[in-house]
Amino acid sequence: MYPPDAWASDIAVSAALALFAAYLEFQPPFERNLVSETLHRVSFPHTGEQTFPTWTLPFLGVFIPLGIIFVASLAKSGYDRTRKGRETKRAVVGLLLAVTLGFAVTNALKNSVGAFRPDFKNRCWPGEAVVRWDFPGVPRCSADHDPRLVSEGRKSFPSGHASIAFSGLSFAAAVVAKRLGIGGQDVKQTRNKRNKTKIHNNAAWHLVATVSPLALAAWVSVSRVTDYMHHVEDVGGGAVIGIVSAVAAWVAKNPFREEEGGDDVAKKTVAKKPARVNKHTPTAAATRPRRRRGSDSTEDHAPAGTRR
């Protein structure tokens, strides 16, 4: 038996994580020293153009995965609507938990590590400005630099785009896989006229539908490298955080737990019918020897000549 769902507390935890992540978004990062020998790693051009701008993050992490979850809920016809509604509701709450958890962990690491973005040099010394240092490892940015851009240039690890995209889209992909029975969960067996068993495996489009959200998350991650916004290790770390957050939220909420042995299993248990009694079959009462009136067992077994 599973405990009842605590919808209010789940929403409250997700909201608290989102507020904490938003608070960290406006905090200054750790200012680590910039070694001059590694300056070439942060000397890529700063164009300001992004394949997936920041305003697309709510769509990548929340709205698109929500649409995928609702569409996937229509996958099975003839399914118990009440149970399907509870599963979809748990999936939505799990999605919010996965995204907000990954968002909070990512921003906490961004501010703690203070890693330089690939275009940090052109943020600190825009144009043809001469590279200057206050002290060894402490850059002195040019007078016309944008302090906000320089501060954001110290938040390279891990990638927030990769983390949010993988947390939401990985969770949505897991929902699709469960609905469509990917992994041999819904392999059906039928018999034809010759009484031969035929196995119906998952269709190819089931696999495509499951992998598509992950492909979108991978596209987002690769674009962060090609846009010179992150290093490869940044998007790799963000992807790991997103996937781990999705797995943790899935284990915590377990949207399809009733299908895996929850309360509905007890409801589906069919009571055994009592065995039918054949009227032509002698019962125990019918086969029991009859006693004569006025006699008992002692008289029947008494020696001859002793009866009264």
Side-chain angles (χ1 to χ4, degrees), residues 231-254:
H231 302 281
V232 175
E233 60 269 22
D234 301 336
V235 297
V240 170
I241 293 173
I243 293 174
V244 171
S245 299
V247 172
W250 184 276
V251 173
K253 295 308 300 176
N254 195 5

Side-chain angles (χ1 to χ4, degrees), residues 122 219 226 300:
N122 287 287
W219 180 22
T226 57
D300 292 340

Side-chain angles (χ1 to χ4, degrees), residues 149-295:
L149 286 179
V150 173
S151 179
E152 285 296 321
R154 294 178 178 270
K155 297 182 179 182
S156 186
F157 181 87
S159 170
H161 280 65
S163 172
I164 293 177
F166 268 100
S167 60
L169 293 171
S170 296
F171 194 94
V175 173
V176 174
K178 185 67 178 180
R179 288 294 191 197
L180 298 181
I182 298 296
Q185 301 172 38
D186 278 351
V187 176
K188 299 180 181 179
Q189 297 184 3
T190 58
R191 293 182 178 273
N192 55 17
K193 295 181 179 179
R194 297 182 180 180
N195 201 28
K196 292 183 178 180
T197 302
K198 183 179 181 181
I199 299 177
H200 300 270
N201 292 318
N202 299 110
W205 71 268
H206 290 181
L207 179 61
V208 174
T210 303
V211 175
S212 295
L214 299 176
L216 176 57
W219 180 22
V220 173
S221 300
V222 172
S223 70
R224 302 305 289 172
V225 178
T226 57
D227 291 339
Y228 303 124
M229 296 297 296
H230 288 283
H231 302 281
V232 175
E233 60 269 22
D234 301 336
V235 297
V240 170
I241 293 173
I243 293 174
V244 171
S245 299
V247 172
W250 184 276
V251 173
K253 295 308 300 176
N254 195 5
F256 301 91
R257 64 194 183 201
E258 291 180 350
E259 292 184 353
E260 298 172 355
D263 299 335
D264 284 5
V265 174
K267 297 179 182 178
K268 292 183 178 179
T269 304
V270 180
K272 295 182 178 180
K273 296 182 179 180
R276 298 179 62 183
V277 180
N278 191 345
K279 62 181 180 180
H280 299 291
T281 303
T283 60
T287 57
R288 185 182 304 167
R290 296 183 179 180
R291 297 179 182 180
R292 290 176 298 175
R293 293 184 177 181
S295 63

Side-chain angles (χ1 to χ4, degrees), residues 58-130:
F59 293 91
L60 295 171
V62 179
F63 298 124
I64 293 178
L66 279 178
I68 294 173
I69 290 174
F70 285 123
V71 171
S73 65
L74 306 176
K76 290 184 178 180
S77 60
Y79 201 58
D80 184 7
R81 293 184 178 180
T82 302
R83 188 174 71 179
K84 182 184 290 188
R86 291 197 300 267
E87 291 173 351
T88 303
K89 191 175 181 180
R90 280 195 292 268
V92 170
V93 175
L95 170 67
L96 297 178
L97 179 60
V99 175
T100 54
L101 178 62
F103 188 28
V105 172
T106 299
N107 279 2
L109 288 176
K110 277 179 177 289
N111 291 347
S112 300
V113 176
F116 297 101
R117 294 184 185 269
D119 59 354
F120 179 80
K121 178 182 176 182
N122 287 287
R123 291 171 181 256
C124 186
W125 300 286
E128 300 296 332
V130 179

